[in-house]
Amino acid sequence: MHVQYRKAGPSRRSLLAATAGAAALAATATGTARATDSPSPLGSRPGEAELRKLISAMTLEEKVGQVFVMRVYGASATDPDQADVDANLQEIGVRTAAELIARYRVGGIIYFAWAHNTQNPHQIADLSNGIQRAGLSQPRGLPLLIATDQEYGIVERVGVPATLLPGAMALGASGSRSDARLAARIGGTELRALGIRQDYAPDADVNVNPANPVIGVRSFGADPEAVAGLVAAQVKGYQGAGIASTSKHFPGHGDTATDSHYGFPVIQHTREQWDELDAPPFRAAIAAGIDSVMTAHIMVPALDDSGDPATLSHPILSGILRGELGYDGVVITDSLGMAGVREKYGDDRVPVLALKAGVDQLLNPPDLDLAWHAVLDAVKGGELAEERLDESILRILRLKARRGLFTEPYVTHSGVDRTVGTRAHLAAADRIAEHTTTLLVNEERVLPLSRRTASDILVVGADPASPSGTTGPPTTVLANALKELGFKADALSTGAAGNPSQAVIDQAVAAAAGKDAVLVGTYNITATGSQRTLVQALAATGVPVIVLAIRNPYDAAFVPDARAVLAAYSWTDVELRAAVRVIAGRARPRGRLPVPVPRADDPAKELYPIGYGLSY
C-alpha cells in the first residue's frame, strides 16, 4: 500500500537545539564521518549517565526517529541507481538512505537483498559506512543500528562470497551445541565486518506443527529443551562475535498453520502448554544475555484474551516478557507491514499501540511518514508519555554502546577481506553441514553409492528459487557436486514448485533409462501433489531411486517407493554438497531427526520419531 507522502517533519530550529555535551559528540562524529577505510574512534564507550544526557539533549522528533528501523532501496547511501531512487520516492518520500536519516533520524536500517542492499561484501561495507556517516553528521549525531535477517539455511540476505552456513533445523539434526555456537560465531564475525551489528537470529520457535507455512526448517526442532540449548548456543556465538542477536518470534510461532505475513494466526496453547513448549527457548535466550527479542504477530488467547496480536499486547510483552521472564533488553516488532499486525488496527495506530505494549523498536512500517507522525502526535497529545519513549531509547542506546557503535562505527575493506568467506570459515561450514544430513531409509544398503557400481546418475526434481545470494538451481548444484566426486550426472528440473506435469514425469522416466541410480530432490510433498507420482514412476523403472528432501523432512512419509531417503533441511549449496558427500560415502550420515515425521495415512501417528536416523 502506498500513501501519499506528507512533507511535514521536524523543524530546522528544533533540530539545531543541543546541549554542549551532545554537540561535542556530534562534532567528533562529523570529524570521522569522512573515513571509510581508516575510521577513527568516537571515543570511549559511553556510560549510563552519558547515554541519559544524550537522550535529554534530543528533540522530541529525534526521539521518535530513534525507535524506527526502516528499509531503504539502494546499494549506496548517497548515490543509488535511479530505479532505487524511484522506489524510495514512491514508498518513503526520500531519494536515498542519507535523506531518510536526515528527515526522520531513524535509529536503524534493515538490509534486504531485494532492496539491492547486499550485492557484494565491499559494497555492503561501503553502504554501512555511508549510513553511519549520514547519521553521525546530523546535529547530535548518533550511529545507526544496521540489521538484517541472516538466519542461514533458507533465510539469508548476505550471500556468496560470504560463508553460507546450515540453517536452524539442520543444526537441530546435528544436535551439536558447539556446532551451533561456531556457526553463529562465524556468521556474526562476517556480518560485523560488513557493518551489520544486529542479526534477527536465531529463531526460538518450537516447530511442532508440520503444516507450519512460515517457520518449519527455520526452527531448530520440536523438542523445547533441545531448541533451548541450541538457541542459547547461537546467542553466545553471535554476541561473542560482537553483534546483537535476536530471538524470535515471541511468544512462539511454532504451532500455526497460518503465515503471519498474510493472515492473523491464533495459537490455542493453554498457559501450561506455553510454559512447557514455547517458553523454554526464550528463557534460555534471556539467560544467555540476548540483546533483543522480536515479537510475533499472533494471537494467544491463553496469554491475552483481548484479541490483540502479541506485538500489541501489554499483558504479553510487559507482563510476561518483561515482568515474569525478567527481560530488560530491546524488544523489536516483526515487520509492521505484515498482515498479522494490520488486520485489527490501522497503520497509524499500530506503532503507538506497540510502544504502549512495551516494544522499543518499530520495524519496517509500510508507511514511515504516517507511523512517524502517529507516534509524534501520540506523545504531543499525551497518549504516550515522553518518559516511556525515553525508556526505549535508553535500551536502544545501551545496545548500540554494547556493540561498539559509539567507538567503532565504521568498517574497512581490509577487514572485509580478512574476514568474509575465508578458507577457514568455508571449511568449517562444510564440516558443520556434514553433521546434519539425516538418512531415514536405506533399503538393501543402496547407499553409499560406489562409482564402480553406480557411476551414472540422473538428478531430477524441484528447483525452488535459491535463498538470497546462493548458487543454484538445486538440481544443478547436486549434479555438479556428484561430478566433482567422479560420477557422471545429468540434471533435469521439474520446476520451481517441484510438482511436474505428466509430460515432465514421462521425460524423467525416459531419462532414467540406462542410469545406475536416480537422485530426486523433493520440495514440500503433499498428499495430492505430483511429486509422489514422479517418485512412483521412476521406481517402477527398476532403477534405484534415492530421495533427498531439500526442505522439509516431512517429505519422507510420502515416498514409500524410494530405496533411500535423506533429509538436507535446506537447498543452500553448503547443505546440498554435504548431502552428496554422504550419498557418495565421503562422509557418514550423522544427523538425527529434530522433529517427528508423521505418517502420510494417519498424521496422528509417527512414522519416524525425534532422534531417528541411520548411519553406515
Side-chain angles (χ1 to χ4, degrees), residues 516-591:
D516 298 315
V518 179
L519 174 59
V520 183
T522 63
Y523 181 84
N524 299 355
I525 297 182
T526 63
T528 58
S530 59
Q531 290 185 82
R532 298 182 74 178
T533 308
L534 171 68
V535 173
Q536 290 169 346
L538 289 169
T541 68
V543 177
V545 173
I546 302 156
V547 165
L548 177 66
I550 65 172
R551 182 169 179 163
N552 290 332
Y554 311 114
D555 288 5
F558 297 96
V559 289
D561 301 292
R563 295 273 297 278
V565 181
L566 307 96
Y569 307 99
S570 173
W571 62 102
T572 49
D573 311 15
V574 66
E575 287 165 283
L576 294 181
R577 292 196 309 267
V580 167
R581 291 195 295 277
V582 168
I583 290 168
R586 300 299 180 90
R588 291 188 302 108
R590 296 173 58 177

Coordinates of all heavy atoms in Angstrom, one line a residue, residues 516-591:
D516 N 22.3 -45.7 -13.5 CA 22.6 -46.6 -12.4 C 21.8 -46.2 -11.1 O 21.5 -47.1 -10.3 CB 24.1 -46.6 -12.0 CG 24.9 -47.0 -13.2 OD1 24.6 -48.1 -13.8 OD2 26.0 -46.4 -13.5
A517 N 21.4 -45.0 -11.0 CA 20.5 -44.5 -9.9 C 19.9 -43.2 -10.3 O 20.4 -42.5 -11.2 CB 21.4 -44.4 -8.6
V518 N 18.8 -42.9 -9.6 CA 18.2 -41.6 -9.8 C 18.1 -40.9 -8.5 O 17.6 -41.5 -7.5 CB 16.7 -41.7 -10.4 CG1 16.1 -40.3 -10.5 CG2 16.8 -42.4 -11.7
L519 N 18.6 -39.7 -8.4 CA 18.5 -38.8 -7.2 C 17.4 -37.8 -7.4 O 17.5 -37.0 -8.3 CB 19.8 -38.1 -6.9 CG 19.9 -37.1 -5.8 CD1 19.5 -37.8 -4.5 CD2 21.2 -36.5 -5.7
V520 N 16.4 -37.9 -6.6 CA 15.2 -37.0 -6.7 C 15.2 -36.0 -5.5 O 15.2 -36.4 -4.4 CB 13.9 -37.8 -6.7 CG1 12.7 -36.8 -6.9 CG2 13.9 -38.8 -7.8
G521 N 15.3 -34.7 -5.9 CA 15.2 -33.7 -4.9 C 13.7 -33.3 -4.7 O 13.1 -32.8 -5.6
T522 N 13.1 -33.5 -3.5 CA 11.7 -33.2 -3.3 C 11.6 -31.9 -2.5 O 12.5 -31.6 -1.7 CB 11.0 -34.3 -2.5 OG1 11.6 -34.5 -1.2 CG2 11.1 -35.6 -3.3
Y523 N 10.5 -31.2 -2.7 CA 10.3 -29.9 -2.0 C 8.8 -29.8 -1.5 O 7.9 -29.6 -2.3 CB 10.6 -28.8 -3.0 CG 10.5 -27.4 -2.5 CD1 11.5 -26.8 -1.7 CD2 9.3 -26.7 -2.7 CE1 11.4 -25.5 -1.3 CE2 9.1 -25.4 -2.2 CZ 10.2 -24.8 -1.5 OH 10.0 -23.5 -1.0
N524 N 8.6 -30.1 -0.2 CA 7.3 -29.9 0.4 C 6.2 -30.8 -0.3 O 5.3 -30.3 -0.9 CB 6.9 -28.5 0.4 CG 7.8 -27.6 1.2 OD1 8.7 -28.1 1.8 ND2 7.5 -26.3 1.2
I525 N 6.4 -32.1 -0.3 CA 5.5 -33.0 -1.0 C 4.1 -32.9 -0.2 O 4.1 -32.9 1.0 CB 6.0 -34.5 -0.9 CG1 7.3 -34.6 -1.8 CG2 4.9 -35.4 -1.5 CD1 7.8 -36.0 -1.8
T526 N 3.1 -33.0 -1.0 CA 1.7 -33.1 -0.4 C 1.1 -34.4 -0.8 O 1.5 -35.0 -1.7 CB 0.9 -31.9 -0.8 OG1 0.7 -32.0 -2.3 CG2 1.5 -30.6 -0.5
A527 N 0.0 -34.7 -0.1 CA -0.7 -36.0 -0.4 C -1.2 -36.1 -1.8 O -1.3 -37.2 -2.4 CB -1.8 -36.2 0.6
T528 N -1.6 -34.9 -2.4 CA -2.1 -35.0 -3.7 C -1.2 -34.4 -4.8 O -1.6 -34.4 -6.0 CB -3.4 -34.1 -3.7 OG1 -3.1 -32.8 -3.3 CG2 -4.5 -34.7 -2.8
G529 N 0.0 -34.0 -4.4 CA 0.9 -33.4 -5.4 C 1.5 -34.5 -6.3 O 1.6 -35.7 -6.0
S530 N 2.0 -34.1 -7.5 CA 2.6 -35.0 -8.5 C 4.0 -35.4 -8.2 O 4.5 -36.2 -8.9 CB 2.4 -34.4 -9.9 OG 3.1 -33.1 -9.9
Q531 N 4.6 -34.8 -7.1 CA 6.0 -35.3 -6.8 C 5.9 -36.8 -6.4 O 6.8 -37.5 -6.6 CB 6.5 -34.4 -5.6 CG 6.9 -33.0 -6.1 CD 7.6 -32.3 -4.9 OE1 8.8 -32.4 -4.7 NE2 6.8 -31.5 -4.2
R532 N 4.8 -37.2 -5.7 CA 4.7 -38.6 -5.3 C 4.6 -39.4 -6.6 O 5.2 -40.5 -6.7 CB 3.4 -38.8 -4.5 CG 3.4 -38.1 -3.2 CD 2.1 -38.4 -2.4 NE 2.2 -39.7 -1.8 CZ 1.2 -40.2 -1.1 NH1 0.1 -39.5 -0.8 NH2 1.3 -41.5 -0.6
T533 N 3.9 -39.0 -7.6 CA 3.7 -39.7 -8.8 C 5.0 -39.9 -9.5 O 5.4 -40.9 -10.1 CB 2.7 -39.0 -9.7 OG1 1.5 -38.8 -9.0 CG2 2.4 -39.8 -11.0
L534 N 5.8 -38.8 -9.5 CA 7.2 -38.8 -10.1 C 8.0 -39.9 -9.5 O 8.6 -40.7 -10.2 CB 7.8 -37.5 -9.9 CG 9.3 -37.4 -10.3 CD1 9.5 -37.6 -11.9 CD2 9.9 -36.1 -9.9
V535 N 8.1 -40.0 -8.1 CA 8.9 -41.0 -7.5 C 8.4 -42.4 -7.8 O 9.2 -43.3 -8.0 CB 8.9 -40.7 -6.0 CG1 9.6 -41.9 -5.2 CG2 9.6 -39.4 -5.7
Q536 N 7.1 -42.6 -7.8 CA 6.5 -43.9 -8.1 C 6.8 -44.3 -9.5 O 7.2 -45.5 -9.7 CB 5.0 -43.8 -8.0 CG 4.5 -43.7 -6.5 CD 3.0 -43.4 -6.4 OE1 2.4 -43.0 -7.4 NE2 2.4 -43.5 -5.2
A537 N 6.8 -43.4 -10.5 CA 7.0 -43.7 -11.9 C 8.5 -44.1 -12.1 O 8.9 -45.0 -12.8 CB 6.6 -42.6 -12.8
L538 N 9.4 -43.3 -11.4 CA 10.8 -43.6 -11.5 C 11.1 -45.0 -10.8 O 11.9 -45.7 -11.4 CB 11.6 -42.5 -10.9 CG 11.6 -41.2 -11.7 CD1 12.2 -40.0 -10.8 CD2 12.4 -41.3 -13.0
A539 N 10.5 -45.2 -9.7 CA 10.8 -46.5 -9.0 C 10.3 -47.7 -9.9 O 10.9 -48.8 -9.8 CB 10.1 -46.5 -7.7
A540 N 9.3 -47.5 -10.6 CA 8.7 -48.6 -11.5 C 9.7 -49.0 -12.6 O 9.5 -50.0 -13.2 CB 7.4 -48.1 -12.0
T541 N 10.6 -48.1 -12.9 CA 11.6 -48.5 -14.0 C 12.6 -49.5 -13.5 O 13.3 -50.1 -14.3 CB 12.4 -47.2 -14.4 OG1 13.2 -46.7 -13.4 CG2 11.4 -46.1 -14.9
G542 N 12.7 -49.7 -12.2 CA 13.7 -50.6 -11.6 C 15.0 -50.0 -11.3 O 15.8 -50.6 -10.6
V543 N 15.2 -48.7 -11.7 CA 16.4 -48.0 -11.3 C 16.3 -47.6 -9.9 O 15.2 -47.0 -9.5 CB 16.6 -46.8 -12.3 CG1 17.9 -46.0 -11.8 CG2 16.7 -47.2 -13.7
P544 N 17.3 -47.8 -9.0 CA 17.2 -47.4 -7.6 C 16.9 -45.9 -7.5 O 17.6 -45.1 -8.1 CB 18.6 -47.7 -7.1 CG 19.1 -48.8 -8.0 CD 18.6 -48.5 -9.3
V545 N 15.9 -45.5 -6.7 CA 15.6 -44.1 -6.5 C 16.0 -43.7 -5.1 O 15.6 -44.3 -4.1 CB 14.0 -43.9 -6.7 CG1 13.7 -42.5 -6.3 CG2 13.6 -44.2 -8.2
I546 N 16.8 -42.6 -5.1 CA 17.2 -42.0 -3.9 C 16.5 -40.7 -3.7 O 16.6 -39.8 -4.6 CB 18.7 -41.8 -3.8 CG1 19.4 -43.1 -4.0 CG2 19.2 -41.1 -2.6 CD1 20.8 -43.0 -4.6
V547 N 15.8 -40.4 -2.7 CA 15.1 -39.2 -2.4 C 15.8 -38.3 -1.4 O 16.2 -38.8 -0.4 CB 13.6 -39.4 -1.9 CG1 13.0 -38.1 -1.4 CG2 12.8 -39.9 -3.1
L548 N 16.1 -37.1 -1.8 CA 16.7 -36.1 -0.9 C 15.6 -35.0 -0.7 O 15.3 -34.2 -1.6 CB 18.0 -35.5 -1.5 CG 18.6 -34.4 -0.6 CD1 19.1 -35.0 0.7 CD2 19.8 -33.8 -1.4
A549 N 15.1 -34.9 0.6 CA 14.2 -33.9 0.9 C 15.0 -32.6 1.1 O 15.8 -32.5 2.1 CB 13.4 -34.2 2.2
I550 N 14.8 -31.6 0.2 CA 15.7 -30.5 0.2 C 15.2 -29.3 1.1 O 15.8 -28.3 1.2 CB 16.0 -30.0 -1.2 CG1 14.7 -29.4 -1.9 CG2 16.7 -31.0 -2.1 CD1 15.0 -28.7 -3.2
R551 N 14.0 -29.5 1.6 CA 13.5 -28.6 2.6 C 12.9 -29.3 3.8 O 13.7 -29.6 4.8 CB 12.4 -27.7 2.0 CG 11.9 -26.6 3.0 CD 11.1 -25.5 2.4 NE 10.6 -24.6 3.4 CZ 10.2 -23.4 3.1 NH1 10.1 -23.0 1.8 NH2 9.7 -22.6 4.0
N552 N 11.7 -29.7 3.8 CA 11.0 -30.3 5.0 C 11.3 -31.8 5.1 O 11.0 -32.5 4.1 CB 9.5 -30.1 5.0 CG 9.2 -28.6 5.2 OD1 9.9 -27.9 5.9 ND2 8.0 -28.2 4.7
P553 N 11.7 -32.3 6.2 CA 11.9 -33.7 6.3 C 10.6 -34.5 6.3 O 10.6 -35.7 6.1 CB 12.6 -33.9 7.7 CG 12.2 -32.7 8.5 CD 12.1 -31.6 7.4
Y554 N 9.5 -33.8 6.4 CA 8.2 -34.5 6.4 C 7.9 -35.2 5.0 O 7.1 -36.0 4.9 CB 7.1 -33.5 6.7 CG 7.3 -32.6 7.9 CD1 7.6 -31.3 7.9 CD2 7.4 -33.2 9.2 CE1 7.8 -30.5 9.0 CE2 7.7 -32.5 10.3 CZ 7.9 -31.1 10.2 OH 8.1 -30.4 11.3
D555 N 8.7 -34.8 4.0 CA 8.6 -35.4 2.7 C 8.8 -36.9 2.8 O 8.2 -37.7 2.0 CB 9.6 -34.8 1.7 CG 9.2 -33.4 1.3 OD1 8.3 -32.9 1.8 OD2 10.0 -32.9 0.4
A556 N 9.5 -37.4 3.8 CA 9.9 -38.8 3.9 C 8.7 -39.7 4.0 O 8.7 -40.9 3.6 CB 10.8 -39.0 5.1
A557 N 7.6 -39.2 4.5 CA 6.4 -40.0 4.6 C 5.6 -40.3 3.3 O 4.8 -41.2 3.3 CB 5.4 -39.3 5.6
F558 N 6.0 -39.6 2.3 CA 5.2 -39.6 1.0 C 6.0 -40.4 -0.1 O 5.5 -40.4 -1.2 CB 4.9 -38.2 0.6 CG 4.0 -37.5 1.5 CD1 4.5 -36.6 2.4 CD2 2.6 -37.7 1.5 CE1 3.7 -35.9 3.3 CE2 1.8 -37.0 2.4 CZ 2.3 -36.1 3.3
V559 N 7.1 -41.0 0.2 CA 7.9 -41.7 -0.8 C 8.2 -43.1 -0.5 O 9.4 -43.5 -0.4 CB 9.2 -40.8 -1.1 CG1 8.8 -39.5 -1.8 CG2 9.9 -40.5 0.2
P560 N 7.2 -44.0 -0.2 CA 7.5 -45.3 0.2 C 8.2 -46.2 -0.9 O 8.8 -47.2 -0.6 CB 6.1 -45.9 0.5 CG 5.2 -45.1 -0.3 CD 5.8 -43.7 -0.3
D561 N 8.2 -45.7 -2.1 CA 8.8 -46.4 -3.2 C 10.3 -46.2 -3.4 O 11.0 -46.9 -4.1 CB 8.1 -46.1 -4.6 CG 6.6 -46.4 -4.5 OD1 6.3 -47.6 -4.5 OD2 5.8 -45.4 -4.5
A562 N 10.8 -45.2 -2.6 CA 12.2 -44.9 -2.7 C 13.1 -45.9 -2.0 O 12.7 -46.4 -0.9 CB 12.5 -43.5 -2.2
R563 N 14.2 -46.2 -2.6 CA 15.2 -47.2 -1.9 C 15.9 -46.5 -0.8 O 16.4 -47.2 0.1 CB 16.1 -47.7 -3.0 CG 15.5 -48.5 -4.1 CD 15.3 -50.0 -3.7 NE 16.6 -50.6 -3.5 CZ 17.4 -51.1 -4.5 NH1 17.0 -51.0 -5.8 NH2 18.6 -51.6 -4.3
A564 N 16.2 -45.2 -0.9 CA 16.9 -44.5 0.1 C 16.2 -43.1 0.2 O 15.8 -42.5 -0.8 CB 18.3 -44.3 -0.2
V565 N 16.2 -42.6 1.5 CA 15.6 -41.3 1.7 C 16.5 -40.5 2.7 O 16.9 -41.1 3.7 CB 14.2 -41.4 2.3 CG1 13.6 -40.0 2.5 CG2 13.2 -42.2 1.4
L566 N 16.8 -39.3 2.4 CA 17.6 -38.4 3.2 C 17.0 -37.1 3.4 O 16.2 -36.7 2.5 CB 19.0 -38.2 2.6 CG 19.9 -39.5 2.3 CD1 19.7 -39.7 0.8 CD2 21.3 -39.3 2.6
A567 N 17.3 -36.4 4.4 CA 16.9 -35.0 4.7 C 18.0 -34.1 4.7 O 19.0 -34.3 5.4 CB 16.1 -34.9 5.9
A568 N 17.9 -32.9 4.0 CA 19.0 -31.9 4.0 C 18.6 -30.7 4.7 O 19.5 -29.9 5.0 CB 19.4 -31.6 2.5
Y569 N 17.3 -30.4 4.9 CA 16.8 -29.3 5.6 C 16.9 -27.9 4.9 O 16.5 -26.9 5.5 CB 17.4 -29.2 7.0 CG 17.2 -30.5 7.8 CD1 18.3 -31.4 7.9 CD2 16.0 -30.9 8.4 CE1 18.2 -32.6 8.5 CE2 15.9 -32.1 9.1 CZ 17.0 -33.0 9.1 OH 16.9 -34.2 9.8
S570 N 17.6 -27.9 3.8 CA 17.7 -26.6 3.0 C 18.3 -27.0 1.7 O 19.0 -27.9 1.6 CB 18.6 -25.6 3.8 OG 18.8 -24.5 3.0
W571 N 18.0 -26.1 0.7 CA 18.6 -26.3 -0.6 C 19.7 -25.3 -0.9 O 20.1 -25.0 -2.0 CB 17.5 -26.2 -1.7 CG 16.8 -24.9 -1.8 CD1 17.0 -24.0 -2.7 CD2 15.7 -24.5 -0.9 NE1 16.1 -22.9 -2.5 CE2 15.3 -23.2 -1.5 CE3 15.1 -25.0 0.2 CZ2 14.3 -22.5 -0.9 CZ3 14.0 -24.3 0.7 CH2 13.7 -23.0 0.2
T572 N 20.3 -24.8 0.2 CA 21.5 -24.0 0.0 C 22.7 -24.9 -0.3 O 22.8 -26.1 0.0 CB 21.8 -23.1 1.3 OG1 21.8 -24.0 2.4 CG2 20.8 -22.0 1.5
D573 N 23.7 -24.3 -1.0 CA 24.8 -25.0 -1.5 C 25.5 -25.9 -0.4 O 25.8 -27.1 -0.7 CB 25.9 -24.1 -2.1 CG 25.3 -23.1 -3.0 OD1 24.1 -22.9 -3.0 OD2 26.1 -22.5 -3.8
V574 N 25.8 -25.3 0.7 CA 26.6 -26.0 1.7 C 25.9 -27.3 2.2 O 26.5 -28.3 2.4 CB 26.9 -25.1 2.9 CG1 25.7 -24.7 3.7 CG2 28.0 -25.7 3.8
E575 N 24.6 -27.2 2.3 CA 23.9 -28.4 2.7 C 23.7 -29.4 1.6 O 23.7 -30.7 1.8 CB 22.5 -28.0 3.4 CG 22.8 -27.4 4.7 CD 21.6 -26.6 5.3 OE1 21.3 -25.5 4.8 OE2 20.9 -27.1 6.1
L576 N 23.5 -29.0 0.4 CA 23.3 -29.9 -0.7 C 24.6 -30.6 -1.0 O 24.7 -31.9 -1.3 CB 22.8 -29.2 -2.0 CG 21.4 -28.6 -1.9 CD1 21.1 -27.9 -3.2 CD2 20.4 -29.7 -1.6
R577 N 25.7 -29.9 -1.0 CA 27.0 -30.6 -1.2 C 27.3 -31.6 -0.1 O 27.9 -32.6 -0.4 CB 28.1 -29.5 -1.3 CG 28.0 -28.6 -2.5 CD 29.3 -27.9 -2.8 NE 29.8 -27.2 -1.6 CZ 29.5 -25.9 -1.3 NH1 28.8 -25.2 -2.1 NH2 30.0 -25.4 -0.2
A578 N 27.0 -31.2 1.1 CA 27.2 -32.1 2.2 C 26.4 -33.4 2.0 O 26.9 -34.5 2.3 CB 26.9 -31.5 3.6
A579 N 25.2 -33.3 1.6 CA 24.3 -34.4 1.4 C 24.9 -35.3 0.3 O 24.9 -36.6 0.4 CB 22.9 -34.0 1.0
V580 N 25.5 -34.7 -0.8 CA 26.1 -35.5 -1.8 C 27.3 -36.3 -1.3 O 27.5 -37.4 -1.6 CB 26.5 -34.6 -3.0 CG1 27.4 -35.3 -4.0 CG2 25.2 -34.1 -3.7
R581 N 28.1 -35.6 -0.4 CA 29.2 -36.4 0.2 C 28.8 -37.6 1.0 O 29.4 -38.6 1.0 CB 30.1 -35.4 1.0 CG 30.8 -34.4 0.2 CD 31.9 -33.7 1.0 NE 31.4 -32.9 2.1 CZ 31.0 -31.6 2.0 NH1 30.9 -31.0 0.8 NH2 30.6 -31.0 3.0
V582 N 27.6 -37.4 1.6 CA 27.1 -38.5 2.4 C 26.6 -39.6 1.4 O 26.9 -40.8 1.6 CB 25.9 -38.1 3.3 CG1 25.1 -39.3 3.8 CG2 26.4 -37.2 4.4
I583 N 25.9 -39.2 0.4 CA 25.4 -40.2 -0.6 C 26.5 -40.9 -1.3 O 26.4 -42.2 -1.5 CB 24.5 -39.4 -1.7 CG1 23.2 -38.9 -1.1 CG2 24.2 -40.3 -2.9 CD1 22.4 -38.0 -1.9
A584 N 27.6 -40.3 -1.5 CA 28.8 -40.9 -2.2 C 29.7 -41.6 -1.2 O 30.8 -42.1 -1.6 CB 29.5 -39.8 -3.0
G585 N 29.4 -41.6 0.1 CA 30.2 -42.3 1.1 C 31.5 -41.5 1.5 O 32.4 -42.1 2.1
R586 N 31.6 -40.2 1.1 CA 32.7 -39.4 1.6 C 32.5 -38.9 3.0 O 33.5 -38.4 3.6 CB 32.9 -38.2 0.6 CG 33.2 -38.6 -0.8 CD 34.4 -39.5 -1.0 NE 34.6 -39.8 -2.4 CZ 35.4 -39.1 -3.2 NH1 35.9 -37.9 -2.8 NH2 35.5 -39.5 -4.5
A587 N 31.3 -39.0 3.5 CA 31.0 -38.7 4.9 C 29.9 -39.6 5.4 O 29.1 -40.1 4.6 CB 30.5 -37.2 5.0
R588 N 29.9 -39.9 6.7 CA 28.9 -40.7 7.3 C 27.6 -39.8 7.6 O 27.8 -38.7 8.0 CB 29.4 -41.3 8.6 CG 30.4 -42.4 8.4 CD 30.7 -43.1 9.7 NE 31.1 -42.2 10.8 CZ 30.4 -41.9 11.8 NH1 29.1 -42.4 11.9 NH2 30.8 -41.0 12.8
P589 N 26.5 -40.4 7.4 CA 25.3 -39.7 7.8 C 25.2 -39.6 9.3 O 25.1 -40.7 10.0 CB 24.1 -40.5 7.2 CG 24.6 -41.9 7.0 CD 26.1 -41.7 6.8
R590 N 25.2 -38.4 9.9 CA 25.3 -38.3 11.3 C 24.1 -37.6 11.9 O 23.9 -37.5 13.1 CB 26.6 -37.5 11.7 CG 27.8 -38.3 11.4 CD 29.1 -37.5 11.6 NE 29.2 -37.1 13.0 CZ 30.3 -36.4 13.5 NH1 31.3 -36.2 12.7 NH2 30.3 -36.1 14.7
G591 N 23.2 -37.0 11.1 CA 22.1 -36.2 11.5 C 21.0 -37.1 12.1 O 20.8 -38.3 11.7

